[in-house]
Amino acid sequence: MLSRTRFLAFGDSITAGEVTAPLGLGGGPRNASLVVLPSASYPSQLLSQLQARHASQASSIVMTNSGRSGETLLEGRERFPGELAASQAEVVLLMEGVSGLPVAGPDISTDVMREMVRQATGRSVRVFIGSMVPTIEGRSRSQRPAELVTYNMRLRQMAGEENAVFVDLYSALLPEASSVIGVDGLHPTEVGYKRIADIFFASIQTHLVK
């Protein structure tokens, strides 16, 4: 049985469920457009998994998807308190920072994430911090792998210091990056979002099932 049932998934386009060249729409690396597919997003798929596994609680399990495309971490910091209060969440799934990471850098980005974690834990909300996902180099929105790795290391350390759960998406998805990361080198494919949901689900089963 889940000890907490009200979830807030907060983040940028990767939480919103943005894909490049989604199935059936065609497109290639040079002309792929970005489309938000809410049903493909990891929060939507995670909700289905939680309701199926915990059928007796299904009607009380709530998942608010508060992903916003193109949002930087600094913008997310301003938006977070209102979304947290409005959702009445007991659990926050926090994954943000890849937009603007080359400008803010891993250290400042981690400090901002720490602020958000503390806002949540100050309300007795359990926090799961999702790492950044892998990138595929040489594509239109590719990130610097070394910067992603450094940011993930900082997030892992901060999670331990703040009594949050670190969810290592990067290591889990890296071996299959070619199939779970889209043609832009940044956004997951629909298969990738399913894998992210799987990984969050496993972590929730470990930490929230009594």
Side-chain angles (χ1 to χ4, degrees), residues 14 16 29 38 40 71 76 89 97 110-111 116 123 140 142 157 162 177 201:
I14 294 179
E71 179 174 80
T110 302
D111 288 343
M116 297 162 71
R123 299 172 64 103
S140 61
S142 299
Q157 179 179 351
E162 300 297 334
F201 177 80

Side-chain angles (χ1 to χ4, degrees), residues 19-206:
V19 298
T20 51
L23 297 178
L25 297 184
R30 295 185 179 181
N31 62 358
S33 59
L34 292 169
V35 180
V36 174
L37 297 179
S39 62
S41 70
Y42 92 79
S44 293
Q45 300 193 61
L46 177 58
L47 175 60
S48 295
Q49 292 180 347
L50 291 171
Q51 289 176 328
R53 176 62 63 89
H54 303 281
S56 65
Q57 295 175 284
S59 62
S60 63
I61 300 174
V62 177
M63 179 74 66
T64 301
N65 186 340
S66 187
R68 178 171 293 181
S69 297
E71 179 174 80
T72 67
L73 184 53
L74 296 179
E75 292 168 338
R77 177 177 62 180
E78 300 304 311
R79 189 169 63 91
F80 183 66
E83 297 289 336
L84 180 62
S87 69
Q88 299 182 325
E90 299 170 306
V91 182
V92 168
L93 312 176
L94 184 59
M95 182 168 56
E96 190 152 33
V98 71
S99 297
L101 181 61
V103 176
D107 292 336
I108 292 175
S109 297
T110 302
D111 288 343
V112 174
M113 286 283 278
R114 188 189 300 271
E115 291 180 37
M116 297 162 71
V117 170
R118 288 181 173 177
Q119 288 172 4
T121 56
R123 299 172 64 103
S124 299
V125 174
R126 195 79 162 100
V127 180
F128 289 70
I129 300 173
S131 77
M132 302 297 97
V133 300
T135 191
I136 298 179
E137 295 184 80
R139 298 189 177 180
S140 61
R141 295 182 179 85
S142 299
Q143 303 293 300
R144 301 187 186 107
E147 203 161 44
L148 293 177
V149 169
T150 299
Y151 185 33
N152 287 335
M153 290 174 57
R154 300 283 193 275
L155 288 176
R156 182 189 292 273
Q157 179 179 351
M158 182 269 286
E161 294 167 351
E162 300 297 334
N163 195 32
V165 178
F166 181 73
V167 181
D168 188 358
L169 303 168
Y170 188 93
S171 297
L173 298 180
L174 186 60
E176 48 190 315
S178 61
S179 62
V180 299
I181 303 299
V183 296
D184 70 344
L186 172 63
H187 292 88
T189 61
E190 292 172 82
V191 171
Y193 284 122
K194 174 62 166 57
R195 290 287 292 117
I196 291 172
D198 292 343
I199 297 163
F200 268 111
F201 177 80
S203 187
I204 289 167
Q205 290 296 109
T206 298

